[in-house]
Amino acid sequence: DARVTQTPRHKVTEMGQEVTMRCQPILGHNTVFWYRQTMMQGLELLAYFRNRAPLDDSGMPKDRFSAEMPDATLATLKIQPSEPRDSAVYFCASGPTSGDTQYFGPGTRLTVL
Amino acid sequence: AQSVTQPDIHITVSEGASLELRCNYSYGATPYLFWYVQSPGQGLQLLLKYFSGDTLVQGIKGFEAEFKRSQSSFNLRKPSVHWSDAAEYFCAVGALNFGNEKLTFGTGTRLTIIP
């Protein structure tokens, strides 16, 4: 049963620290998405990739957030420096090349103190 | 720009009763529509999707949804809910064109089941 995996599942850090979240998409999926979920804003798309190339990162605060895909099996989302307002659940999702369904990982719950 | 409205923030239903969750979308072309479910502490799981064809689509766990173009709606239904259906439900719309695979999600409807 292929699944998207995310690490860590929970992260507590202090303001100003760097945070790195990792995602392993489903093997063979060529599109990868990063979402942020908060009570106030709901689910927001931060960035997405196709074939490891960033296609849209307009939802991401550019000054502190960065997203990369070092290889086809790993996507990373970094926050540097982190701020309390970044506290949220961050989801990674992957999908096949032609679009279609996005498959979500379990999320990383980030708390910035 | 595409958008999704889920007008009901929270719905409470008795176990065994029928359920309908509302979803209205705004999109300039033929939309691709999805319903996802999120259990506490979990990621989102796809319940069903509509791309084309029959406007009544069947999904997992006994759910179905009907696409009504004239009403810009894609409401989710289940004839008899189970306690395990308690979760948050998200409607989403997307273009799924090559180069534009983004989904826009509604704000969700939290479903509570009472005995």
Side-chain angles (χ1 to χ4, degrees):
Chain A
D1 185 19
R3 298 186 181 192
V4 175
T5 58
Q6 291 186 246
T7 57
R9 292 293 311 277
H10 301 273
K11 176 71 175 180
V12 179
T13 191
E14 293 188 346
M15 183 173 62
Q17 297 298 305
E18 177 177 301
V19 175
T20 299
M21 290 169 272
R22 294 177 174 81
C23 167
Q24 182 173 10
I26 293 172
L27 190 64
H29 282 186
N30 291 359
T31 55
V32 175
F33 304 81
W34 282 106
Y35 291 90
R36 177 171 61 185
Q37 185 178 39
T38 61
M39 291 291 292
M40 295 300 295
Q41 301 297 326
L43 269 167
E44 303 173 278
L45 178 68
L46 297 176
Y48 87 97
F49 296 76
R50 190 190 318 112
N51 295 327
R52 298 174 55 200
L55 288 192
D56 187 341
D57 61 1
S58 59
M60 202 164 63
K62 302 292 192 304
D63 56 339
R64 299 183 299 108
F65 284 59
S66 62
E68 295 179 344
M69 282 199 73
D71 61 60
T73 64
L74 177 64
T76 62
L77 180 66
K78 292 184 180 181
I79 309 174
Q80 169 62 22
S82 58
E83 298 181 359
R85 59 179 168 153
D86 301 328
S87 297
V89 181
Y90 291 81
F91 289 104
C92 175
S94 72
T97 304
S98 59
D100 205 313
T101 304
Q102 294 181 21
Y103 296 85
F104 281 75
T108 295
R109 181 174 295 277
L110 173 65
T111 302
V112 183
L113 303 174
Chain B
Q2 57 202 48
S3 67
V4 176
T5 302
Q6 293 182 248
D8 303 306
I9 296 174
H10 187 198
I11 284 183
T12 299
V13 177
S14 298
E15 189 169 15
S18 63
L19 170 71
E20 182 169 28
L21 302 182
R22 295 183 290 167
C23 171
N24 293 97
Y25 68 89
S26 174
Y27 188 68
T30 300
Y32 295 97
L33 296 158
F34 303 80
W35 274 100
Y36 283 85
V37 61
Q38 183 180 28
S39 297
Q42 303 296 314
L44 278 70
Q45 180 185 19
L46 180 72
L47 282 177
L48 48 80
K49 59 189 177 185
Y50 171 78
F51 283 2
S52 64
D54 192 346
T55 56
L56 184 64
V57 294
Q58 302 297 321
I60 62 171
K61 304 184 180 186
F63 285 91
E64 67 178 26
E66 186 170 12
F67 170 59
K68 293 185 177 180
R69 184 187 300 275
S70 61
Q71 299 177 19
S72 298
S73 69
F74 190 57
N75 295 348
L76 182 71
R77 300 193 295 248
K78 186 170 184 178
S80 177
V81 298
H82 186 262
W83 63 266
S84 59
D85 294 325
E88 187 132 21
Y89 292 79
F90 293 91
C91 181
V93 64
L96 299 179
N97 298 321
F98 190 77
N100 185 25
E101 293 96 337
K102 293 189 291 186
L103 291 182
T104 300
F105 284 86
T107 50
T109 297
R110 181 177 300 174
L111 176 64
T112 298
I113 308 295
I114 56 176

